[in-house]
Amino acid sequence: MATRRYWLMKCEPSAYTIDDLARDKTSSWEGVRNFQARNFMRDQMREGDGVLFYHSNCDVPGVVGLAKVVSTAYPDPTQFDSKSEYYDPKSPKDDPRWWLVDVGFVERFANPVSLAEIKADKRLAGMVLVNNSRLSVQPVADQEFDRVRAMGKKKG
């Protein structure tokens, strides 16, 4: 049996929020157009993996709640839709370039754990988020996931 992994997945609140995920229960994580992030979803994510849901490009970026991976990766259909902002005319249908997973809602933090708080915590100094903040889908070590989750619960 595969070991459970943990991830941080970013979304701009102007596009989709943790509250949207709570309402929808599950959602496809579409539109990722970074090869490294795609590879994480396609090659490493498994059903049941934990997710730190991160709001980016907003007044106070940070982890706003928890989600979980609820599907294995499959081709992102938006790459084939010429009306989609994520359309990729160079992606062949028989060998898709872009993949996604579905995520499910777990919980919303009463108070987000801000990027500033994460950077200030010495126990989180090794997080990919701290060292490569631009990557939209990134791995999180077990102890990092537990620490951020505890910070989110403590604040609530």
Side-chain angles (χ1 to χ4, degrees), residues 65-145:
L66 304 176
K68 64 182 175 181
V69 177
V70 296
S71 77
T72 56
Y74 59 95
D76 182 340
T78 64
Q79 68 191 306
F80 306 120
D81 180 358
S82 61
K83 294 178 182 141
S84 171
E85 67 180 300
Y86 303 118
Y87 177 58
D88 183 351
K90 294 181 180 179
S91 181
K93 286 190 178 187
D94 61 343
D95 187 19
R97 180 178 293 176
W98 305 112
W99 292 69
L100 59 76
V101 296
D102 294 336
V103 296
F105 178 77
V106 173
E107 74 177 278
R108 182 187 199 288
F109 292 159
N111 296 294
V113 181
S114 71
L115 176 59
E117 291 172 280
I118 290 169
K119 286 183 172 182
D121 191 313
K122 290 180 179 153
R123 291 172 276 190
L124 299 174
M127 274 186 88
V128 174
L129 178 66
V130 172
N131 299 295
N132 183 4
S133 63
R134 296 189 55 82
L135 191 59
S136 65
V137 175
Q138 51 191 252
V140 175
D142 296 11
Q143 66 274 18
E144 295 165 349
F145 183 89

Side-chain angles (χ1 to χ4, degrees), residues 1-7 44 46-49 142:
M1 180 175 205
T3 304
R4 184 176 190 193
R5 292 184 174 151
Y6 298 98
W7 307 94
Q44 296 183 33
R46 300 292 177 258
E47 288 180 47
D49 284 358
D142 296 11

Side-chain angles (χ1 to χ4, degrees), residues 24-79:
D24 298 342
K25 308 291 189 253
T26 63
S27 181
S28 58
W29 206 263
E30 65 191 25
V32 172
R33 296 298 184 264
N34 172 285
F35 288 105
Q36 188 176 14
R38 184 251 353 236
N39 292 348
F40 287 138
M41 290 193 296
R42 185 188 65 191
D43 302 336
Q44 296 183 33
M45 283 189 177
R46 300 292 177 258
E47 288 180 47
D49 284 358
V51 174
L52 298 173
F53 193 111
Y54 185 93
H55 282 173
S56 64
N57 199 20
C58 55
D59 289 342
V60 183
V63 177
V64 295
L66 304 176
K68 64 182 175 181
V69 177
V70 296
S71 77
T72 56
Y74 59 95
D76 182 340
T78 64
Q79 68 191 306

